Every structure is written in structure tokens, then in C-alpha cells.
Amino acid sequence: MSKSKDKRIRKFKKKRIWPSILGLFIVSICFMVIMLAVVAFLVSDVVKNKIVAGIHDTEEVSHFFEKIESFEELAEIEETLLFYIDIETDVESIAVIEDDKVVWSSDDRYPSRTSESEFMITDDIRVFIEDDPENNFIIEDNTLNVSKDFINSIEIKEILGTEEMIIPNGTALAHLKVWFEVPTEVGNVYVLKDLKVYQEDLFTLIICTVLIAVIIATFMIYYLISFIGLFFDMHKNSKIIYTDMLTGGENRLFFEKKGNSLIRKAGRRGKKYAVIHLKMRKYRSYCTCFGVKEGEALIEKCYALLKKQISRKELMVHRENAQFGLLLAYENREQLVTRVEKIESVLNTISPNIKLYFGVGIYLTQIGDKDIEQLYNNALLACDMLGEEAENKIAFFDVEMNNQRIWERKVEDDMNRALKNKEFQVYLQPKIKTSEEVLAGAEALVRWIHPQEGFIPPNKFIPIFEKNGFITKLDDYMLEEVASLQEQWIKQGNKIVPISVNISRAHFTRSDLAAHICSIVDKYEVPHNVIELELTESAFFDDKKQLLDTINQLRELGFSVSMDDFGAGYSSLNSLKEMHIDVLKIDADFFRGADVEERGMLIVSEVIELAKKLDMKIVAEGIESREQVDFLTEQECDLIQGYFFSKPMPVAEFVEKYKDFR
Ligand code: C2E
Ligand code: CA
Ligand code: CA
């Protein structure tokens, strides 16, 4: 998966719904606050209007009292006063207080007092009308201080609207009783007023509140709908993102998400899990034979069968091609292997005519493991180590594999530079003529002289190059080096022997291989018979026709062709019959091990005899002892290559050692 795609998916997976919920919550609070503020403003406006109306009445009352100079006078005109006040104003009660003493009260009601100095107003608000407070309308300690100027400046209609509204019909919705206070000649006059709140007073308030409530409700409904939409979208998207398009089941991303949580919990509960990479072998060939549709149907069937093998606390997903990722709980290795084998045999019930082969890599989780993708890679690596040929094999990951992987990466990073810098060097191992024990040929074997790692033997990098295809470049390079050496020696007038180079099976994918080899060698203008080409026996199992054609072309061009490592793999004497090759190299394995020696020798003598009949030269490889040499002399084996005579050595050393031969 590309980095950007991976990033996008990760970003999507991180997307959470809670920011939307939080957003909704914050916006709701804001709306509520706005609504409360508007309502509070409107309420305070109503109250203010009521108070101003109260003040106005109090002012009226105070006019009557302003004309009174003494209590005696007050007592005299009390009845008339009350009559006029009743006509002119709408107050409940009047009290006159001087020096903290109630001196007169219209109906025995007056503000009570809590201490010597302060009145506790019976109702919460006390309105004090002064001649000249600092401001027109200020509230201090529950007291509203109002200036007379302010009162005079207010038109009653301005405050209460129409006449009808001054004395509205109907019952009051709320009562607000307030004592108003006016200083007069006779003392402070207190007026109790019931500031009734009528439905009409609340008209604007109700309209505004309803309007705001409607706006808020509309917004909330809109937001809620989009929120629900988002929720369903996310649900749908997460379903898509975690679904495998081929099987319709869960995919790699789900494996990662659920797997990580399962292995984390397993660590805490002491449960053991194995991360498994299961790969069907030769899936491509299956698709080539039966078509892609059939191939996909096969994967679907495998998926369905595998699903039945998995318990609730386990995982199985289809990854890509014919690969499945599994997370299985297990008790011990044996039980796990038995289970995996059973799974393989269940998968083999899909088609009775076709045997399916699987490669299985297993990583056993450890305490502290967190990243299932990393663990899956380990399982994959273990499976890769099995190689392509293995049938139904199971490999457990170990640390060595990881080291190998690191090494492989290093080799791959360095190989191109190494080729450019000529870090690969030709070593020559002599082939000795058995009868006379003189030099009769040599094999060119590569060595890597790495600037940091030093001397690296071919088995540490050739298999990697064979896997990644770089081997063809290396072989071309070796061929060129050998051709150049031969040219140099010919020009120097030295006696030369044929030198063989190894041609990996990877070359046989190209149909113009013979021409290609020819073009490299011909750059140095050396006769073709001084170069021998060693083909490994395994190459003989690939495309036979192509191989036979190439061998014939090479031989026609004058190159000598040898079959390397004969007898090492699945030898086929048959292939000898079909292929016209010049040299047969008997593998060193025939000469190893004490108890097989006798049987081995018997086979060697038979092979030598057969090869002779087929007109081939015989080279025995890996010869380390005099007894082996004597035996081969007896069998009339042509050439011997082995440590008994010499190890592969640098070119200069080879020249030095065999200078007498020249
Ligand atoms: P090979 O082609 O079978 O080469 C013979 C190997 O046997 C060489 O190993 C050689 O050092 C070793 N050998 C020879 N005599 C004896 C002996 O008496 N005892 C023992 N124990 N070993 C002996 P080397 O050089 O390590 O090469 C290993 C393999 O790497 C070669 O096996 C060949 O398959 C591959 N290789 C080496 N160079 C090249 C190359 O340039 N191209 C390709 N494609 N493969 C190469
Ligand atoms: Ca060889
Ligand atoms: Ca060999």
C-alpha cells in the first residue's frame, strides 16, 4: 500500500464522532445563554417599566405630602388625602416614618425593620426617590435610587403604552410588591405598590422567547439530522474500509484493528496467540489454467471454510491474492501444528481433483507484543523462508530469520554499487586431469570483497540474487571478467585452459540467451571453446524446449556446456538422454558421508560409464582425499575439482601457482 493511501486510511480511522457531539453541546450552550440573556433583558425591561410606573405613582403621592407641614395637619386632612390619593393613584398602602418611627400609616401596613438603623423592606426591592442621586437610576444594596429629574422626564405613556394598558383587564400573572420611599417635610413617605404583571406586559417577551426557541429548535433539529447522517456515514464508511472486496468478509485493516486489541488483552490474561500467514501455492498457475473468475471463486470457498474453523476470540481475514491472515489461540506448538494441518486438509476438500498446497508461516506472540502487522510480517517472513517449492510446510518465525532479513536488505542495498565498483571478484578453482594430474581447466567462482563486511562467500548472497533476479547481472559480469582474462592471457601468448562460468537458471527466461552470451564473449575476441557454461541441474526442470534450444545454439556457437551439480537435486538420468551436453559435473554430495560411501561410489561408477557412452566428459566435484582421486582414476573420470588439489583462489594466485603449466 502506498504511503499516502496508508496515511489517508489511518486518518480516516482516527476520525471520531465525539468532536461533533462536543460541537453540538457547545453550540447548544451558546444558544441557551443567548436565549436566557434575551429573556432576562426582556424581563428586566418589564420590571423596569413596572418600577417606573410605581415611581410615578409614588411621585403623585409625594405631591400631596409636600404640601403638609406637620402631623397635626396630616391628621386633619387624612381622609381627604386618602380620597384623592385613591382617585389619582393606584397604591396599596402609605406609611410615614420619621426618625425610624412610624408616625402615620394609611392602613397599619409599613415596612418592618430588623435593626435600629435599617428597615427590612417587606418585599425585596426598595425604591428610594431622592432629589439628586449621582445617577438617575442606580441600584445599590437592594435599593433602587431614582432622581426626581428622571421621574419628571418620563412620560407615563412612554413606559406603559396606551391608557388601556395602564389598567389592564384580567387577572395579573404575577405580583411584585415594592415599597417606594420619598423624603418629605413630614418624614420619609413609604408607598407600597403592587406592580402587577399582566399577560399584555409579557407580549414582547413571549413573542421573542417563542421566536428564539423556534430558531434554536430549527438549528438543533438541523444539527441533529446532520449528526445522525454523519454517524451513519461513518458507520457505512467503516464497514467499507474494513471489508474485503473479494470475499465480502473482513480485510487486512480489520485484522490490524481487532488483532491489536486481542493480543493486548491476551497479554493481560495469559492467553497465547499465534499470528499466521497462510498462502496457497501456485495460485497463479491455477488462475492461468482455470481463469481468474474460477481463481476468485476458489478464494471465496477457502474463506468460507476457514471461517468455520475460527472461534469467536480468533481472527481470519483474506489479505491479498491467495493469502490469509489468521490469529489463532493455542496451547502448545504440537496442538497448533495439528490444528493448522487440519485446516489445510479441510481446505483440500474444496475440489477432490485438485490438490491444494499451502505455505504457512507462524509467529507465536510474546508478552508486550503490540503491532499485529509487524508480527504478521514475521509470519510472512517465516513462510518466505520455506521457499516456493515446499509443499504444505509450516515454518515458525525465529530471530535468526530476522537477522537474515536484515542481511538480505543490506545485500540488496549494496549490490548495484558493488557491481559498479567491481567489488565482486573472480576466484578460480582448478580442474585437474585425473590421468596425469595436470591442470586441465578451471571454474570461475565469485567472491564479494565488501568495503565494510570484508570477504563474503557466495552462499551469503547468491541465493538472495537468485530471488531478486540480480544474479543474471552478476553472471554476465563474471562471464565478461573471464572472457577478458582469457583475452589477456591469449595476447600474452600463454597456454590457456577452458574456464567455466556459472549460468543461473534465471537466465533461461530469455529466448535470446545464446546470442546474449555470445555478444558478451565476442567483445573480447576469444575463441568460444575457452569458455564453458555450467548450468545447474534445476534449470533442466524449467521450460524444457527453451532450454534444449539454448543448449543447442550455445554448442553450435562453439561453447562447451556442462550440467552442474548432477545428482544433487531430483536427478533425472532421462534428462541426460534428451540433452546433448559436453560435460557432466558429478555433485560433491556423492563423495560425502561414511555409510553412503559404498553406495555412492557404485552410483558414481555407473554414472561415469553412462556419461561416457553418451560421449560426455566427467568432472567430479568436491574431491578432498587421495582415496577419492584414486577411485576416480580407476573409473576413468576425466577431471577432478576439489580441495584435494586446490581451493578456489584469486586470479593472481592461480597464475602464480600454475605458471609452470604455461
Ligand atoms: P558450485 O558451482 O557447485 O561450485 C562449487 C562449489 O564447491 C564452490 O563453492 C567451491 O568452493 C566448492 N568446492 C570445490 N571443491 C570443494 C571441496 O573439495 N570441498 C568442499 N567442501 N567444497 C568444495 P563456492 O565457491 O562457495 O560456491 C558456491 C556456489 O555458489 C557454487 O556452487 C555456485 O552454485 C554458486 N556460485 C559461485 N559463483 C557463482 C557465479 O558467479 N554465478 C552463479 N550463478 N553462481 C555462483
Ligand atoms: Ca558450478
Ligand atoms: Ca557444482
Side-chain angles (χ1 to χ4, degrees), residues 455-638:
F455 180 94
I456 311 175
N459 61 347
K460 296 263 281 180
F461 57 89
I462 295 277
I464 302 171
F465 292 171
E466 275 171 347
K467 248 197 278 174
N468 65 23
F470 188 74
I471 190 70
T472 56
K473 286 193 185 167
L474 179 71
D475 285 350
D476 289 353
Y477 169 85
M478 289 291 284
L479 180 66
E480 190 156 352
E481 287 291 292
V482 168
S484 144
L485 274 178
Q486 295 286 46
E487 182 204 27
Q488 200 183 311
W489 288 333
I490 291 170
K491 280 191 178 151
Q492 287 165 1
N494 292 330
K495 194 170 154 197
I496 56 160
V497 288
I499 300 180
S500 58
V501 287
N502 291 285
I503 301 292
S504 161
R505 68 189 281 187
H507 289 274
F508 287 89
T509 48
R510 56 189 300 172
S511 52
D512 63 339
L513 181 60
H516 173 70
I517 289 174
C518 206
S519 72
I520 294 174
V521 175
D522 287 350
K523 273 198 263 177
Y524 299 90
E525 294 175 341
V526 289
H528 293 172
N529 64 358
V530 299
I531 308 272
E532 185 178 310
L533 304 164
E534 294 194 9
L535 316 182
T536 44
E537 208 195 351
S538 55
F540 291 71
F541 292 99
D542 289 333
D543 183 346
K544 244 189 193 153
K545 175 154 182 348
Q546 172 125 329
L547 182 73
L548 290 179
D549 288 350
T550 308
I551 291 174
N552 290 339
Q553 285 165 20
L554 285 169
R555 292 184 77 227
E556 273 165 31
L557 286 162
F559 293 102
S560 178
V561 177
S562 59
M563 188 195 273
D564 201 0
D565 303 339
F566 181 78
Y570 298 93
S571 293
S572 152
L573 287 170
N574 237 7
S575 54
L576 287 186
K577 198 175 70 192
E578 288 172 69
M579 264 167 261
H580 296 276
I581 46 172
D582 307 284
V583 183
L584 190 72
K585 293 190 78 175
I586 302 176
D587 193 72
D589 265 8
F590 281 113
F591 309 99
R592 306 273 175 266
D595 64 322
V596 292
E597 222 159 73
E598 217 171 286
R599 282 165 60 92
M601 292 308 149
L602 194 71
I603 295 168
V604 169
S605 57
E606 291 303 316
V607 169
I608 292 174
E609 206 181 309
L610 179 73
K612 283 204 173 293
K613 280 185 192 152
L614 292 169
D615 205 18
M616 293 176 192
K617 255 198 194 168
I618 318 282
V619 180
E621 275 192 294
I623 302 306
E624 292 179 343
S625 67
R626 170 49 69 188
E627 292 77 52
Q628 289 169 338
V629 174
D630 291 345
F631 168 77
L632 290 164
T633 317
E634 221 174 273
Q635 301 304 314
E636 294 178 12
C637 170
D638 303 291

